[in-house]
Amino acid sequence: MNVDDFPWMEEHHRMIREAVRGFAAGEVAPRAVALDASCEFPLDLFGKMAELGFLGIPIPEELGGAGMDTLAYVIAVEELARVDGSLALGLAAHTSLGTYPIYAFGTEEQRRRWVPRLASGKGIAAFALTEPDAGSDAQGTRTTAVQDGDGWLVNGTKFYCTNGTHASTIVFTAVTGTAPGGKKEISAFVVEKGTPGLKYGAKEVKLGMRSSDTRVLHFEDMRLPAGNLLGGPESRGAGFKKFMLTLDGGRISVGAISVGLAQGALDRAVPYSRQREAFGQAIGDLGGISARLADMAVDVHAARLMVYDAALRKDRGLPFAKQASMAKLFASEAGMRATDSAIQVLGGYGFTREYEVERMYRDAKLCEIGEGTSEIQRLVIARSLSKEFGS
């Protein structure tokens, strides 16, 4: 049995792991350093992932996907992040944030219209929620969609849209009125690239995930047909709930990215610790270094189990929101610990680009912020506990 196997893994989980691992080693790893330095979005690698069927792993075959499950998908994300966090982030945003809400919440016509193209990789999907005054508090949304004839007139700005200008299809939220009780009525929409009024800001220059394309989107008198309201007319005002459910799944993805980055750091730290000598022995035999390596291994294993557990719960139709938040929280913080330790093990080399752990460290930081900060995850978990204990 492969060292990475778990007793409950099925054959298709092992197959997707080996397929993505081979692709990552052969196609992605040789370019990861250069892509990080140039901040270049690797559109050609997305094309190759489409050919291999990686862009629609959890989507049914009849809608252009591979017909696998969430666990297979997070294994793929993990394997990509092991060598390049940016590409893993692009796949995650495309699948769990951009394509999934159309598949899960769209009308039958909307699913047939957009999902096959995205799942087969003929297009790339994106998700736009964050705004200048609406990050952790999505109720702060100010983008508006006003009914105009038989369609909608949209105005507003979205920040930090992953896959940015390369996305052919973007799912976003907008205020469509006032809900009972005075809260904003938030609805979800789909917009296609090339729609008049959809404009892009400059590409963000970031600490990490540098080859991932992150953009500001501007909606300036952007007109959308009535059929672009996600879920149809009866779903008006349900956008906030839909996006919270989408984020629950997205948090599993971020956990998988974190596991991959932590594993990648461990992959580099252990061999180095066996080759580098100090005081007449391999530094991996020194107490301080061996303890760091042991802690890294424990973090990786525990984080992987938490992420896989959340994925399995989602696949089996069980409640998974709390487990997704727990997995995202623990894995992202474990990723930061592991990448930091890898730099420490490698010493001066770890601080240079040659050994890549500094890139993994920079990439890992986003995982503590994106899809809800660590502070928000703790709030979600605490509220879940209050409900469970009847407070």
Side-chain angles (χ1 to χ4, degrees):
M1 186 169 73
N2 189 295
V3 69
D4 298 320
D5 284 350
F6 293 95
W8 35 260
M9 285 181 69
E10 298 181 30
E11 186 59 29
H12 71 277
H13 299 134
R14 299 182 180 93
M15 289 176 60
I16 195 69
R17 183 189 59 208
E18 295 308 313
V20 179
R21 184 175 293 178
F23 169 74
E27 302 281 350
V28 185
R31 296 175 55 189
V33 172
L35 288 171
D36 175 72
S38 67
C39 302
E40 176 190 357
F41 184 84
L43 192 58
D44 63 317
L45 291 179
F46 266 82
K48 291 178 181 178
M49 288 197 295
E51 293 174 7
L52 293 167
F54 297 163
L55 297 189
I57 291 172
I59 301 298
E61 293 183 50
E62 61 267 25
L63 288 175
M68 295 189 188
D69 51 20
T70 308
L71 180 57
Y73 157 68
V74 299
I75 289 171
V77 172
E78 175 191 333
E79 288 296 331
L80 283 179
R82 198 168 176 173
V83 300
D84 186 0
S86 292
L87 190 62
L89 178 64
L91 174 63
H94 163 83
T95 306
S96 66
L97 298 182
T99 305
Y100 175 77
I102 303 176
Y103 165 66
F105 309 121
T107 64
E108 184 61 25
E109 189 278 330
Q110 289 171 340
R111 283 194 287 267
R112 296 291 174 186
R113 176 181 175 187
W114 286 305
V115 173
R117 175 175 174 78
L118 298 173
S120 64
K122 294 183 175 67
I124 297 175
F127 168 93
L129 175 66
T130 304
E131 297 187 6
D133 297 306
S136 297
D137 179 14
Q139 278 286 341
T141 299
R142 293 189 179 182
T143 295
T144 60
V146 179
Q147 281 192 299
D148 183 54
D150 60 353
W152 298 87
L153 185 65
V154 183
N155 283 281
T157 299
K158 296 290 184 179
F159 274 17
Y160 310 133
C161 179
T162 300
N163 292 339
T165 55
H166 298 280
S168 62
T169 307
I170 303 169
V171 182
F172 70 94
T173 50
V175 178
T176 51
T178 302
K183 286 189 174 182
K184 293 176 179 177
E185 176 190 83
I186 298 177
S187 303
F189 294 86
V190 182
V191 61
E192 297 181 28
K193 186 174 184 177
T195 298
L198 171 60
K199 300 182 179 180
Y200 304 93
K203 184 175 182 178
E204 298 285 358
V205 179
K206 300 167 293 183
L207 170 71
M209 303 290 191
R210 288 165 55 86
S211 66
S212 169
D213 188 40
T214 306
R215 301 276 178 165
V216 174
L217 305 181
H218 300 289
F219 305 140
E220 299 179 1
D221 289 334
M222 182 176 75
R223 295 183 181 276
L224 293 179
N228 286 44
L229 174 62
L230 187 61
E234 62 274 17
S235 291
R236 176 173 174 168
F240 181 79
K241 181 178 180 181
K242 286 181 171 62
F243 272 73
M244 292 303 101
L245 293 171
T246 299
L247 287 173
D248 287 339
R251 286 164 181 159
I252 304 175
S253 301
V254 176
I257 294 171
S258 302
V259 171
L261 290 167
Q263 182 67 64
L266 186 63
D267 291 344
R268 286 157 178 78
V270 174
Y272 181 86
S273 76
R274 304 313 310 164
Q275 297 162 7
R276 179 75 171 184
E277 292 190 356
F279 308 107
Q281 60 184 314
I283 63 170
D285 293 329
L286 300 174
I289 299 299
S290 63
R292 278 189 180 271
L293 295 172
D295 287 344
M296 290 170 69
V298 171
D299 267 343
V300 170
H301 188 63
R304 181 176 285 125
L305 286 172
M306 292 181 75
V307 170
Y308 287 10
D309 172 64
L312 284 168
R313 285 174 174 273
K314 184 174 187 292
D315 285 331
R316 294 175 183 179
L318 299 172
F320 70 94
K322 182 182 74 173
Q323 287 78 12
S325 284
M326 293 170 71
K328 193 268 187 188
L329 172 64
F330 183 83
S332 62
E333 295 189 348
M336 283 303 299
R337 289 193 295 269
T339 53
D340 176 73
S341 286
I343 292 173
Q344 196 70 19
V345 170
L346 271 67
Y349 288 117
F351 203 66
T352 69
R353 290 190 173 184
E354 180 182 359
Y355 284 80
E356 301 189 71
V357 290
E358 61 84 31
R359 169 171 56 84
M360 295 175 178
Y361 177 83
R362 290 186 285 106
D363 287 351
K365 186 60 193 175
L366 178 67
C367 296
E368 292 187 311
I369 300 169
E371 307 277 352
T373 62
S374 292
E375 291 77 12
I376 289 297
Q377 302 313 318
R378 288 184 167 90
L379 183 61
V380 170
I381 295 163
R383 286 177 175 174
S384 295
L385 292 173
S386 293
K387 290 180 181 179
E388 288 171 16
F389 285 86
S391 298

